[in-house]
Amino acid sequence: MTTIAIRTSSLTKTLGALGRARELGILLAVVLVVVAATIKNPAFLFSHDGWRDLLLTPSILLLVAVGQAVVIITRNVDLSVGSVVGLTAYLTGRLFSDIPGIPIVLVVLAAIVLGGLLGLINGALVAFANVPSMVITLGTLYAFRGIDVVWAGSNRVNASDLPRSFLALGTGQLLSIPILTIVAVVVLVAAGWYMRNARSGREHYAIGSDPAAAHLYGLRVTRRVLLAFVLSGALAGLAGVFYAARYGTVDSQAGSGWELQAVGAAVIGGVAIMGGVGTVWGAALGAVLLMTINRALPVLGIPDFWQGAVVGALIIGAIVLDRVLAVRQRRRLIEARDES
Amino acid sequence: MTTTTASPRSVRDYTHPLWRRLLATRESAIVGLLIIVAVVAATTVRGFSQPITLTYLLLDVTPILLIALPMTLVMITGEIDLSVGSMVGLSSVVTGALVQAHWPFGVAALVALLVGVLGGAVNGLLVTVVGLPSLAVTIGTLALFRGIAVGTLGTTAVTDFPQQWTALAQARISGTTIPYVMIPFLILLAVFAIVLHFTPFGRGIYAVGLSKDAARFSGVNVERTKLILFVLTGVVSAFAGIFYTLRFGSARGDNATGLELQVIAAVVLGGVSVFGGRGKLYGVVAAVLLIGALSSALRLANVTSDVINIITGVLLVISVVAASVLAWLQKKRRRPNATATTAG
């Protein structure tokens, strides 16, 4: 083992570069889209609104995608996140309109806690009942959205119901960077550090690579899976607050369809749907690419009706590329083994 | 992980009386639940026992009923197709756009079916030849097909379809309350049931879901099996899309958005394991009818569709959790000191 490790040290470097290239490719795509749109219309990047939207729009999906990536890395999936975003966004609006003068921090905490609790329901059902997460979260996708619709009815929270200081959070900037984006990046860095460096973070990968082996090895599979779902729910809850702050209006359909956007972002960003592979950084980049393309298409002269088609082609292109790279990497590893 | 097919339970079950054995399977529990719901609704909900209720119930569930057939087979192989709702929208748009361009309706529908074959082949080839996970592939084609559909028609809708065709989509077999569309459904059901339960190809489908490698070693062409099933799913979805278009007399890019989740919910409720290798068509058909009857009865009782959605979701969760809890309890009772055999 050790001799192989020494011999392949130069190889692991190139492999590492290859692994990084996976996320670099997505970054490159983002840059390309932004450059193309900016050449066509400089306001896309260089106007105040353009710059703000560029950073702000992906921040909400980014949070959901980070949580989704952690769940997918454990070889599960959370399809209920869109409904959690909707429910917490509406909770945010209702708390402000029902309890005048409620501190913003309290509302943010309430949304995160509600999101975490909904995630706990998912996680508990998945981890203890030993039922595939796709089925469980498909069920809670309906149930949570249903609760949201029953609760909200045809009511909607309008910007006038929300305190100005809260809406300022959605538009406010620090050194020309939106506050929401800063929060999202802080969350991303924390999650990225945890998944890369912390022992318990690494265990998510072990669980996703081979749940049975992780169990036999004595890893706390149940606890990790549970926590991954709680994290996903809590981040979706935070995204719900962001949603309310950014858009000002929340109806019962807020966040619907986001589950597939979040899974799509993670998949584009190189998180393997079979678990064990990928980073939250990649998922975040995937979210940025998805949302930026949505905004860039009309600027590039493509009617927004075609957004979906481009996004679909992008997802397929990304997973095919990922597969090609994986096959090449495996071939190299086998060659390296045969040589040694 | 949670499947119990391969366990020696079926042998053990013969020690129980027949009624307990029947109740023990997922499929018969769903059939039982369907009967209970139908009887309770017929006696307590005003209007449910009227013949017209059956007509609308069947018309409403037909797209789900149709797509659930090939989806069941796909999911028994351990794969999934999330793009079916988008294929319904795409075939609807193709039909509409061609009719708008003064093509004869029959030809337009045929082209839509070909689009279904093509879309299914794209899914199937990406899964089998490129070797990608179907969940990821069909999330991509879900967006792609829907995007093409919305891109083609924009927000406009095509509504001028030949009267005789739109009438046919709603017409009932004379003297009954059963819509004509049940005839192609029953033919498809028979074909799928025979293929799945009585042919080597069908046994191969189960084999692929239980163990891909074992299936391959016993001579099943895993790739070809999956490819055929994805193509079938595509073409049946396209057929459902044509029906959907005629039933509502409107071709729109956003037709049947979210239908994929309804189909999968019904298939899973009907006892198909998402891990593959387990499931029966009659369970799935019963599950589609159960959801349809339940929502029909609740709607007649003035319950809003949102509450119905909650009930559908909770029903799905309870049914899978209950099955796994029951299996766990049985295992615990039988072998009190050997519980960890299938854990993980």
Side-chain angles (χ1 to χ4, degrees):
Chain A
M1 281 299 274
T2 47
T3 53
I4 294 172
I6 292 162
R7 265 168 206 248
T8 55
S9 65
S10 65
L11 187 94
T12 47
K13 253 180 216 165
T14 42
L15 282 182
L18 206 76
R20 278 196 299 276
R22 185 68 195 80
E23 278 126 29
L24 257 178
I26 306 300
L27 188 63
L28 209 67
V30 173
V31 172
L32 238 126
V33 168
V34 172
V35 168
T38 310
I39 289 172
K40 193 95 182 191
N41 179 4
F44 186 79
L45 183 60
F46 293 118
S47 71
H48 175 74
D49 280 353
W51 170 250
R52 194 190 62 193
D53 281 358
L54 185 72
L55 294 176
L56 201 49
T57 313
S59 304
I60 309 175
L61 183 64
L62 188 152
L63 288 174
V64 184
V66 165
Q68 187 69 255
V70 176
V71 170
I72 295 180
I73 285 170
T74 66
R75 202 184 280 191
N76 284 294
V77 70
D78 186 352
L79 292 179
S80 73
V81 284
S83 303
V84 175
V85 169
L87 206 48
T88 53
Y90 191 70
L91 173 81
T92 304
R94 280 302 289 266
L95 282 178
F96 280 123
S97 63
D98 290 357
I99 311 168
I102 185 171
I104 293 175
V105 181
L106 213 61
V107 175
V108 174
L109 277 179
I112 293 176
V113 168
L114 174 65
L117 280 176
L118 296 176
L120 186 68
I121 295 175
N122 285 331
L125 288 169
V126 171
F128 293 119
N130 210 3
V131 172
S133 56
M134 213 187 84
V135 181
I136 289 294
T137 55
L138 183 61
T140 52
L141 163 89
Y142 282 117
F144 296 164
R145 177 66 64 190
I147 293 168
D148 187 17
V149 176
V150 169
W151 186 21
S154 54
N155 290 338
R156 55 193 286 166
V157 175
N158 292 310
S160 55
D161 303 329
L162 300 172
R164 194 162 301 168
S165 52
F166 178 66
L167 290 170
L169 199 69
T171 49
Q173 293 177 330
L174 216 71
L175 299 171
S176 90
I177 297 174
I179 295 168
L180 296 188
T181 304
I182 295 173
V183 177
V185 170
V186 168
V187 168
L188 171 62
V189 170
W193 183 88
Y194 171 74
M195 291 298 280
R196 185 179 159 79
N197 298 319
R199 187 193 173 98
S200 53
R202 301 304 308 167
E203 285 177 5
H204 288 87
Y205 287 94
I207 292 165
S209 301
D210 192 338
H215 187 84
L216 284 177
Y217 188 67
L219 299 188
R220 293 168 164 169
V221 178
T222 310
R223 178 186 291 193
R224 295 280 172 268
V225 170
L226 198 63
L227 271 177
F229 275 98
V230 171
L231 182 74
S232 171
L235 286 180
L238 185 59
V241 176
F242 276 29
Y243 189 100
R246 165 95 170 86
Y247 297 107
T249 55
V250 180
D251 63 10
S252 60
Q253 292 308 307
S256 60
W258 277 35
E259 55 282 345
L260 293 179
Q261 295 250 36
V263 177
V267 166
I268 288 176
V271 179
I273 208 84
M274 289 309 290
V277 176
T279 62
V280 292
W281 296 98
L285 275 174
V288 172
L289 183 59
L290 274 184
M291 298 312 270
T292 308
I293 281 199
N294 277 2
R295 281 188 49 248
L297 282 185
V299 177
L300 292 171
I302 303 164
D304 11 338
F305 297 135
W306 288 97
Q307 271 174 23
V310 174
V311 168
L314 197 72
I315 294 176
I316 294 168
I319 53 178
V320 170
L321 178 72
D322 198 32
R323 174 73 186 171
V324 171
L325 288 179
V327 168
R328 265 176 54 188
Q329 176 170 350
R330 209 172 97 189
R331 203 179 302 142
R332 282 186 197 196
L333 279 173
I334 290 171
E335 273 171 19
R337 184 193 61 191
D338 292 347
E339 277 167 20
S340 61
Chain B
M1 277 166 34
T2 52
T3 49
T4 49
T5 329
S7 75
R9 194 171 122 207
S10 50
V11 182
R12 291 273 192 158
D13 277 349
Y14 286 105
T15 56
H16 293 300
L18 181 68
W19 65 271
R20 272 191 68 174
R21 257 185 283 150
L22 275 179
L23 269 183
T25 74
R26 183 63 189 283
E27 287 79 12
S28 34
I30 293 295
V31 173
L33 207 55
L34 171 63
I35 294 169
I36 293 170
V37 165
V39 169
V40 170
T43 49
T44 59
V45 178
R46 182 194 295 267
F48 187 81
S49 51
Q50 278 177 358
I52 191 74
T53 306
L54 180 68
T55 310
Y56 279 113
L57 196 161
L58 291 177
L59 284 175
D60 283 347
V61 297
T62 292
I64 301 176
L65 215 43
L66 285 168
I67 301 171
L69 298 176
M71 184 73 89
T72 302
L73 273 56
V74 165
M75 288 179 70
I76 289 174
T77 67
E79 303 288 347
I80 195 162
D81 188 347
L82 289 177
S83 70
V84 289
S86 299
M87 181 48 77
V88 169
L90 182 57
S91 65
S92 173
V93 162
V94 168
T95 315
L98 292 179
V99 165
Q100 201 175 32
H102 304 294
W103 288 43
F105 179 82
V107 182
L110 206 66
V111 175
L113 289 179
L114 283 178
V115 169
V117 171
L118 198 69
V122 168
N123 283 334
L125 289 173
L126 284 171
V127 170
T128 56
V129 176
V130 190
L132 297 168
S134 55
L135 187 69
V137 167
T138 55
I139 282 179
T141 49
L142 165 91
L144 182 67
F145 297 162
R146 180 66 68 192
I148 297 172
V150 174
T152 305
L153 276 189
T155 50
T156 59
V158 179
T159 50
D160 46 351
F161 292 100
Q163 189 105 57
Q164 72 266 29
W165 287 99
T166 48
L168 183 68
Q170 313 230 27
R172 286 167 271 172
I173 302 169
S174 53
T176 66
T177 59
I178 298 173
Y180 269 114
V181 67
M182 282 297 109
I183 296 175
F185 164 72
L186 286 175
I187 294 171
L188 274 179
L189 175 62
V191 170
F192 274 99
I194 290 169
V195 165
L196 180 62
H197 297 303
F198 299 103
T199 65
F201 182 77
R203 281 191 292 277
I205 291 173
Y206 284 103
V208 170
L210 285 171
S211 167
K212 211 167 58 180
D213 293 332
R216 191 168 284 131
F217 283 128
S218 45
V220 177
N221 189 332
V222 175
E223 273 67 38
R224 199 184 60 192
T225 304
K226 287 183 179 175
L227 183 60
I228 291 172
L229 293 184
F230 274 105
V231 170
L232 276 177
T233 312
V235 70
V236 173
S237 301
F239 180 74
I242 296 165
F243 165 76
Y244 193 102
T245 311
L246 291 175
R247 157 115 162 85
F248 297 103
S250 160
R252 290 174 52 96
D254 60 354
N255 268 356
T257 303
L259 188 76
E260 59 280 347
L261 295 182
Q262 291 183 40
V263 172
I264 290 162
V267 171
V268 170
L269 185 64
V272 176
S273 161
V274 288
F275 294 124
R278 187 190 187 289
K280 291 197 168 62
L281 275 172
Y282 79 89
V284 172
V285 172
V288 177
L289 293 176
L290 171 65
I291 295 174
L294 199 62
S295 55
S296 166
L298 291 172
R299 232 177 308 149
L300 284 170
N302 285 326
V303 176
T304 59
S305 60
D306 324 314
V307 178
I308 296 170
N309 268 346
I310 302 183
I311 293 172
T312 308
V314 171
L315 189 70
L316 182 62
V317 170
I318 289 178
S319 75
V320 285
V321 173
S324 111
V325 168
L326 276 179
W328 180 72
L329 281 177
Q330 275 173 352
K331 199 167 66 187
K332 203 175 148 190
R333 199 169 52 198
R334 221 166 281 142
R335 293 175 298 178
N337 45 14
T339 50
T341 43
T342 58

